[in-house]
């Protein structure tokens, strides 16, 4: 007798023959009653779920967050106390490309982390950049549309990208990072991660502090030039998966030094920039990064689809001691990420094993798609409403965070008025050596191919406000690469025009 497991239908009945369809005679006529064939085809038809609208192509692994520093005076979060070790999952991604996109494309990288803490899942859904292109969530769908395909040509449109960016000067900081060396990391291990948003900590005394999270690669920064990336894509479109999965299989476990920057509520009232503006960093000199521990990735998923594709990260997942801030981009993401998962994975997406908290879960939500709870999530069949007198799960006031002090008159405030969009990109530009500047100019010029002169000139005017050398460098590169002249206002339109 064989010790191989018996193949079964999804209902558990043994499959007698997985080679031959049931037909009326050897020459054909498939029988509708061949449920085993029908089940197989029907399952195949349903193997795809909607891909993420953004961050569709991703690579991930499990690991551990170890806390070595002491920030207990700022936060009561159990996973951030000295000595804490928390199991976690990371998913890295590109933003614009679809599921089949090549890994080595110039793009921002997602850096999404899920920490399975004793108080529930804490998700930090960041990027490999400390800032973002926009600061007002009302512009997010517009921005993403410029990164995706033109509705008529079904091609990506450089014109749309630069039209939007040149009309949105708050994008300059992130555009400069994207077009710099760090815009094309060789793999997920050789790049930093940033929480990007301002979050908050709160402690046992009920005091709140603002915080930014940094994950500094211990592998060092490594990047490809556009030419190196293009050459590699000609050989493999899966370079990140090969590097991350392969490295972990070989026992090479990547690590990141974890740091926080802390700002008091009083300090936040006195910064020259809005500390809740996602297009800004907090200068290190004013808010020095504090080392708090190390994150290591050390285990691959066994089933990519189940564990990485279905991993659902959301900034709404916070735990006592960690909270949100008035950053309006963050506040919009608190809604939209969980909403995306309900659409993509189903109402009970947190019941999928990779998303399940590693602590007891008790709530009164009922029914809906994929409800696989044994019994009620309350642990008591009579506890299906609240308040109740049957000892059903009850709130815990110790998880109540201190008040978030916000005051102001409700209005649609102009998010561009009074904002300095040039100083921080200038600080970054001044960090670059001549080689880095040269590559920045060439990368921008390459990305502007076919963009009408009017838009190019509008963008060059912004670069000039950052630094005259920035504008001059890009202009010279445009001339070199495309024969661009300032007076050729109507350069060749792209296919997207
Ligand atoms: P600092 O000189 O103290 O910090 C500069 C930081 O810039 C470095 O710590 C490093 O961040 C990052 N950096 C260095 N070289 C490059 C590069 N070639 N490409 C991208 N980033 C680089 O100055 P500030 O804190 O005042 O920041 C100056 C500028 O540096 C900012 O305007 C911003 O553009 C950029 N930056 C600042 C960060 C911050 O949190 N303050 C974080 C990242 C970038 P890291 O240590 O994270 O690698």
């Amino acid at each position: 007798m064989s010790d191989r497991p018996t193949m079964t239908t999804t209902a558990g009945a043994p499959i007698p023959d997985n080679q031959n369809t049931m037909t009326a005679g050897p020459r054909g006529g498939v029988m509708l009653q061949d449920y085993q064939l029908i089940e197989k085809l029907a399952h195949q038809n349903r193997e795809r779920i909607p891909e993420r609208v953004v961050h569709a192509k991703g690579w991930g692994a499990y690991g551990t967050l170890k806390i070595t520093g002491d920030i207990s005076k700022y936060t009561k979060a159990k996973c951030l106390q000295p000595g804490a070790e928390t199991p976690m999952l990371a998913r890295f991604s590109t933003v614009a490309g679809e599921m089949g996109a090549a890994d080595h494309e110039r793009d921002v990288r997602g850096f999404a982390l899920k920490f399975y803490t004793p108080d529930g899942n804490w998700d930090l859904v960041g990027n490999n950049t400390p800032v973002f292109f926009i600061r007002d969530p009302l512009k997010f769908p517009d921005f993403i549309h410029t990164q995706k395909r033109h509705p008529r040509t079904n091609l990506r449109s450089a014109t749309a990208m630069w039209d939007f960016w040149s009309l949105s000067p708050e994008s300059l900081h992130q555009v400069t990072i994207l077009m710099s060396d760090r815009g094309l990391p060789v793999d997920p291990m050789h790049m930093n991660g940033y929480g990007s948003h301002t979050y908050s900590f709160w402690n046992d005394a009920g005091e709140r502090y603002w915080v930014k999270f940094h994950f500094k690669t211990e592998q060092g920064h490594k990047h490809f030039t556009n030419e190196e990336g293009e050459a590699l894509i000609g050989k493999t479109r899966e370079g990140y998966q090969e590097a991350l999965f392969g490295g972990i299989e070989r026992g090479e476990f990547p690590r990141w030094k974890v740091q926080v920057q802390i700002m008091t509520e009083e300090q936040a009232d006195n910064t020259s920039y809005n500390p809740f503006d996602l297009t800004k960093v907090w200068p290190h000199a004013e808010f020095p990064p504090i080392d708090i521990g190390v994150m290591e990735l050390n285990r691959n998923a066994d089933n990519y689809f189940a564990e990485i594709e279905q991993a659902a990260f959301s900034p709404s997942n916070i735990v006592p001691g960690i909270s949100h801030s008035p950053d309006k981009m963050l506040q919009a993401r608190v809604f939209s990420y969980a909403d995306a998962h309900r659409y993509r994975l189903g109402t009970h997406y947190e019941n999928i094993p990779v998303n399940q908290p590693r602590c007891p879960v008790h709530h009164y939500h009922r029914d809906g798609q994929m409800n696989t709870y044994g019994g009620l999530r309350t642990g008591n069949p009579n506890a299906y409403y609240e308040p109740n007198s049957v000892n059903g799960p009850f709130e815990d006031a110790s998880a109540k965070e201190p008040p978030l002090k916000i005051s102001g008159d409700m209005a649609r405030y102009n998010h561009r008025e009074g904002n300095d969009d040039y100083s921080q990109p200038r600080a970054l530009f001044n960090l670059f050596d001549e080689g880095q500047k040269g590559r920045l100019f060439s990368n921008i010029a390459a990305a502007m191919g076919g963009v009408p002169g009017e838009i190019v000139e509008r963008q060059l005017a912004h670069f000039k406000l950052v630094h005259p050398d920035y504008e001059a460098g890009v202009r010279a590169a445009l001339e070199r690469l495309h024969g661009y002249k300032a007076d050729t206002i109507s350069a060749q339109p792209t296919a997207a025009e």
Side-chain angles (χ1 to χ4, degrees), residues 11 14 89 99 139 157 214 221 303 312 315 380 400 422 455:
L89 172 78
M99 284 269 300
K139 300 318 301 168
S157 166
H214 303 256
H221 288 275
N303 181 325
N380 176 343
K400 189 171 179 179
Y422 304 99
I455 294 174

Side-chain angles (χ1 to χ4, degrees), residues 130 173 182 192 194 214 216 282-284 424 428 432 436:
H173 199 177
R182 289 196 185 183
N192 285 349
Y194 301 89
H214 303 256
K216 303 283 180 67
W282 297 354
H284 287 160
Q424 292 204 354
L428 180 63
F432 295 158
Q436 289 173 313

Side-chain angles (χ1 to χ4, degrees), residues 466-477:
V466 174
H467 198 293
D469 293 352
Y470 197 166
E471 188 248 7
V474 176
R475 191 178 286 283

